[in-house]
Amino acid sequence: MTAATHSPLFPRVPDSADAVLEGLDPEQREVATALHGPVCVLAGAGTGKTRAITHRIAYGVRAGILQPSSVLAVTFTNRAAGEMRGRLRQLGAQGVQARTFHSAALRQLQYFWPKAIGGSLPRLVDRKIQLVADAAAACRIRLDRGELRDATAEIEWCKVTQTVPADYAAAAAEAGREAPRDPAEIAQLYAAYENLKRDRAVIDFEDVLLLTVAVLQDRRDIAEQVRAQYQHFVVDEYQDVSPLQQRLLDLWLGERDSLCVVGDASQTIYSFTGATPDHLLDFRTRHPGATVVKLVRDYRSTPQVVHLANGLLSQARGRAADHRLELISQRGPGPDPAYTEYTDEPAEAEGAARRIRELLAAGVPAAEIAILVRTNAQSETYEQALADAGIPYQLRGAERFFDRPEVRKAVVALRGAARFGANDTLLEDTVDLPSQVRAVLSGEGWTPQPPAGSGAVRERWESLAALVNLAQDFAAAGPGVTLADLVAELDERANAQHAPTVQGVTLASLHSAKGLEWDAVFLVGVAEGMMPITYARTNEQIEEERRLLYVGVTRARERLHVSWAVSRAPGGRPNRRPSRFLDGLRPGSGTAAGRTGSLASGGIERGFSGAVVGTPDVPRRIQRTPARCRVCGRTLTDAGEMKLMRCDGCPSDMDEGLYERLREWREAQARNNGQPAFCVFTDRTLMAIAESVPEEAGELARIPGVGVRKLNRYGAEVLALCAGRSLAEEEVGD
């Protein structure tokens, strides 16, 4: 299990600013060198977005353009922030602050609270659910365990959307939320919760953002002090920002525009927490002079996996779908996704375990395999199936790695050995860091070979083995590193919850799998009622479920297994059907209606500014830099050719009207043939036809994606459309 993009854990530090740019593709390089003004990076899954933005920061620092202490990079999880810090350190950009919104705000709040409010900052509660339970008791509202959890989530949504108790009912109705209880009761509970916090002098995580916003709004001197410290901002996963986080970002920025945001509207899967892609989609409107770079070269997944991912989005509707990115795989071919139907859920779990055993026997590491479920309630069946098969596994989102007792003891032992050094008898016969770590951890239960079977003993060994493997990678990256250096690395990782790889199959929910990737992924329970989930009723909710499946598909590098069960339990009624999202994509599922409208291709859109004072900005003609020439398919590397979107010898502009007519014709053909639209011609081939506007069969045949078979079948009609004749006229002529 690694974070995108797959790369060595500890590469060597580049020796110059120019060396930082080595290995970047043209679009990534554009991101790295666009250091001034607002920048928006639209990055598809697996396209190396973290690589692009960390190289951007590192290039700016190494070139002397950015001061490390003036840069604040924010993201959404401690793990992602820890990974970003690690990558920046590997690129020679130490001193850059990479934090979550909450940790950055908490740090500022702790520092300025005595000056702004006086006294010490109230205690921060780790979990608010007990406070919500106490508030419910005070209101004499009885909540079962599920309702308590849902009510807590509803309060969190209110706070990140800056909704006060009195406005809850109206706000929830406008947002289409289904309250776990009567809205009046939720509003009463919310108000009681806020009063209880005040009485107990505590704050929650949402208060950290709210209070920081309040301080920066009310105290201009403090706001100016923060802005003097941080002058350049980078925001990862920008599609997930809430209105409250956007407000905080605006206050950090002030009137400046030194901002780079990175996101993908097609991966917006946290709207239930208040996240919205609107800030990403409206970025160019708010910042007319912005440079927009699209990353569509997928380095993670095979063409077969990417084909399915693109197919899912081709059926999407809504605003996010209008800005979807069509990925282009940069990898060699792999196996087609496998689709399997089972009689019931236990049989599905056993089938997944059986296939995983086959992968393990074929040499696929357990850590490179994942089972992804829609809800946590599904995991128990798969835990049992894996245990019965003797397959080690780990639960993503369960106990944190550095909180495990064996890991805590191991780190203490390593710290002691580092302190005593040569005086520690355990280290007498060791010659390097890996052998030192193996020697120390052998006293904690690590052995060169794993114990037989599974269970707690195997889990403890897997934890220690992860530390041994980390030590080996750490030593390989920096000759001369010491045990003390490794302990410092472990401390930093523990603070960021950046766990090393554990050798076990990962069992995770689709939501918790975001940002991760594996060689083999099993998407299970992909049936109506689970995907989309039963309570997803509105168009917006259905589309978010589609995006969730898209995220699941794009976690796979090489092998993808999709399955569903026709009944829940053995002997149950077989009344389930595969998810509607697979219609037209899996073999034998008929045709799904694709969308009309253009896809967002890879490339660069330059910012613009008004030429006349007092007149609104008028955008210049947008120039795009695609990954490949749309006419001949050749990869473009020359800067002049990239600006023209074609090779020098290829025709230039696309006939937009012809392109739309071709799409309408293709949809009709697909319906008649009972197959997906892309089986007639892909969007890329239609674009090539609309650019070249062929007049005769030979010209049409030379376009990549046409071929002899399709020329014979569709050539006459396509040429008629290119000539501006209607197909009805052709029929009359015949």
Side-chain angles (χ1 to χ4, degrees):
M1 178 182 69
T2 61
T5 299
H6 199 42
S7 60
L9 188 58
F10 295 104
R12 296 188 182 279
V13 175
D15 57 10
S16 67
D18 287 341
V20 171
L21 301 178
E22 293 178 0
L24 299 181
D25 68 32
E27 292 79 30
Q28 292 172 343
R29 181 181 286 257
E30 181 70 23
V31 174
T33 55
L35 297 173
H36 301 289
V39 178
C40 179
V41 183
L42 302 177
T47 58
K49 68 179 180 63
T50 305
R51 176 180 174 83
I53 59 175
T54 52
H55 280 68
R56 178 183 188 270
I57 296 170
Y59 177 72
V61 169
R62 298 291 296 276
I65 299 172
L66 303 179
Q67 292 299 315
S69 60
S70 71
V71 180
L72 178 59
V74 289
T75 186
F76 284 82
T77 66
N78 286 323
R79 189 186 189 284
E83 183 195 353
M84 191 177 291
R85 284 194 295 271
R87 291 200 187 197
L88 290 170
R89 184 173 62 248
Q90 293 157 14
L91 293 169
Q94 293 89 342
V96 174
Q97 292 293 315
R99 298 180 175 275
T100 65
F101 271 100
H102 283 89
S103 65
L106 180 59
R107 194 164 180 256
Q108 294 174 16
L109 198 59
Q110 289 170 330
Y111 183 82
F112 290 111
W113 187 269
K115 178 179 179 179
I117 309 298
S120 58
L121 183 69
R123 179 175 63 87
L124 178 64
V125 293
D126 290 334
R127 299 177 70 246
K128 60 172 64 68
I129 196 163
Q130 185 56 54
L131 274 173
V132 175
D134 294 345
C139 296
R140 297 184 178 180
I141 298 175
R142 299 187 63 179
L143 301 174
D144 61 30
R145 187 173 180 178
E147 289 175 324
L148 181 60
R149 183 181 62 251
D150 293 342
T152 301
E154 207 66 8
I155 289 174
E156 291 174 349
W157 175 81
C158 288
K159 301 189 76 167
V160 300
T161 56
Q162 303 174 78
T163 301
V164 298
D167 296 338
Y168 168 73
E174 183 178 354
R177 296 182 71 85
E178 290 190 13
R181 296 288 290 262
D182 182 90
E185 285 187 319
I186 296 296
Q188 182 187 6
L189 178 61
Y190 178 18
Y193 169 79
E194 291 297 311
N195 291 332
L196 194 59
K197 283 198 293 99
R198 194 175 302 112
D199 294 342
R200 297 182 182 180
V202 297
I203 59 175
D204 60 28
F205 275 101
E206 290 72 39
D207 289 330
V208 170
L209 300 183
L210 286 163
L211 291 169
T212 304
V213 165
V215 168
L216 295 177
Q217 285 181 160
D218 295 344
R219 292 291 298 267
R220 184 179 181 85
D221 57 329
I222 292 176
E224 292 301 325
Q225 191 173 343
V226 171
R227 292 167 191 161
Q229 170 68 49
Y230 296 117
Q231 300 171 23
H232 306 277
F233 297 86
V234 177
V235 184
D236 194 12
E237 304 288 1
Y238 193 57
Q239 78 278 354
D240 290 334
V241 295
S242 68
L244 179 56
Q245 288 164 333
Q246 181 62 46
R247 179 60 185 143
L248 177 59
L249 180 61
D250 290 339
L251 288 167
W252 281 340
L253 275 166
E255 298 300 319
R256 301 167 299 176
D257 63 0
S258 185
L259 171 66
C260 174
V261 301
V262 189
D264 179 8
S266 296
Q267 297 188 68
T268 304
I269 58 173
Y270 298 109
S271 66
F272 60 90
T273 68
T276 171
D278 289 345
H279 305 297
L280 175 67
L281 299 178
D282 292 338
F283 191 85
R284 192 66 180 271
T285 302
R286 299 197 317 274
H287 302 279
T291 295
V292 179
V293 184
K294 299 184 179 74
L295 305 182
V296 297
R297 304 179 199 236
D298 189 323
Y299 298 96
R300 177 191 300 161
S301 304
T302 63
Q304 287 75 13
V305 173
V306 167
H307 183 71
L308 175 57
N310 286 337
L312 281 171
L313 291 190
S314 73
Q315 302 175 16
R317 300 290 192 276
R319 192 174 183 218
D322 291 338
H323 296 266
R324 71 199 191 281
L325 300 167
E326 184 179 27
L327 302 177
I328 305 171
S329 176
Q330 305 297 299
R331 297 192 53 180
D336 288 329
Y339 301 88
T340 309
E341 182 174 281
Y342 293 93
T343 56
D344 51 64
E345 290 182 5
E348 185 179 5
E350 291 168 6
R354 185 168 55 253
R355 290 199 174 196
I356 289 172
R357 283 184 63 87
E358 294 171 356
L359 292 176
L360 296 174
V364 179
E368 294 297 350
I369 303 173
I371 299 176
L372 303 183
V373 297
R374 173 61 181 85
T375 67
N376 290 323
Q378 294 170 270
S379 70
E380 184 178 355
T381 303
Y382 290 88
E383 290 179 58
Q384 186 63 53
L386 292 172
D388 291 345
I391 299 172
Y393 67 90
Q394 59 172 328
L395 287 173
R396 174 78 181 167
E399 183 182 30
R400 294 177 173 180
F401 178 83
F402 288 100
D403 291 341
R404 298 176 184 176
E406 66 272 17
V407 174
R408 291 201 301 267
K409 287 182 62 181
V411 172
V412 169
L414 291 170
R415 183 173 286 110
R419 184 179 300 117
F420 289 107
N423 296 323
D424 193 323
T425 57
L426 283 172
L427 306 182
E428 287 180 354
D429 299 324
T430 59
V431 295
D432 55 15
L433 177 61
S435 61
Q436 290 175 343
V437 172
R438 289 193 294 267
V440 173
L441 297 188
S442 63
E444 301 299 322
W446 178 82
T447 57
Q449 296 299 321
S454 57
V457 173
R458 177 62 182 253
E459 289 178 6
R460 286 194 294 271
W461 183 90
E462 295 285 1
S463 297
L464 299 178
L467 295 175
V468 171
N469 293 335
L470 180 66
Q472 292 171 342
D473 291 330
F474 192 61
V481 293
T482 66
L483 195 54
D485 295 329
L486 177 64
V487 170
E489 171 74 12
L490 291 173
D491 288 341
E492 184 171 334
R493 282 171 167 262
N495 290 333
Q497 288 300 327
H498 185 189
T501 300
V502 175
Q503 286 303 318
V505 172
T506 300
L507 181 55
S509 70
L510 286 164
H511 283 100
S512 65
K514 177 76 166 61
L516 303 174
E517 60 185 66
W518 297 268
D519 284 345
V521 168
F522 289 77
L523 292 176
V524 299
V526 188
E528 287 292 307
M530 192 61 71
M531 181 61 66
I533 200 75
T534 304
Y535 50 76
R537 297 187 178 91
T538 67
N539 291 336
E540 291 79 7
Q541 292 168 338
I542 295 294
E543 288 306 315
E544 180 147 341
E545 292 288 299
R546 187 193 308 276
R547 294 194 295 269
L548 189 57
L549 182 59
Y550 172 80
V551 167
V553 167
T554 55
R555 299 311 95 194
R557 296 194 197 104
E558 298 176 6
R559 297 176 176 86
L560 180 64
H561 299 261
V562 183
S563 64
W564 59 92
V566 295
S567 64
R568 179 177 181 182
R573 292 182 59 189
N575 56 0
R576 291 182 175 179
R577 62 175 295 269
S579 170
R580 70 190 75 170
F581 300 147
L582 299 178
D583 290 348
L585 301 176
R586 63 182 177 85
S589 60
T591 303
R595 300 181 70 254
T596 58
S598 61
L599 286 167
S601 60
I604 303 150
E605 298 178 6
R606 307 292 182 185
F608 57 86
S609 58
V612 181
V613 176
T615 62
D617 287 345
V618 179
R620 295 193 300 255
R621 180 180 176 83
I622 292 175
Q623 294 183 323
R624 303 178 187 271
T625 309
R628 294 172 180 161
C629 174
R630 286 180 176 166
V631 179
C632 69
R634 183 176 70 83
T635 300
L636 301 177
T637 56
D638 179 76
E641 290 181 339
M642 287 192 288
K643 290 181 180 178
L644 292 171
M645 302 184 292
R646 59 181 176 85
C647 305
D648 285 335
C650 294
S652 55
D653 294 330
M654 181 173 73
D655 185 330
E656 297 285 352
L658 173 59
Y659 179 66
E660 291 304 319
R661 292 195 301 275
L662 286 168
R663 286 182 66 90
E664 292 173 2
W665 165 82
R666 182 182 65 173
E667 295 300 324
Q669 286 292 333
R671 285 193 299 271
N672 293 336
N673 299 342
Q675 60 183 181
F678 58 79
C679 290
V680 179
F681 284 123
T682 66
D683 285 334
R684 189 177 310 283
T685 301
L686 293 188
M687 289 177 183
I689 294 171
E691 280 201 354
S692 61
V693 194
E695 297 180 355
E696 50 91 21
E699 294 177 3
L700 179 59
R702 285 193 291 270
I703 295 176
V706 176
V708 175
R709 183 177 62 83
K710 291 187 178 180
L711 178 66
N712 292 335
R713 186 170 186 179
Y714 304 123
E717 295 185 3
V718 170
L719 290 172
L721 290 170
C722 290
R725 300 192 300 271
S726 71
L727 298 183
E729 292 174 357
E730 292 295 301
E731 292 175 0
V732 171
D734 291 341

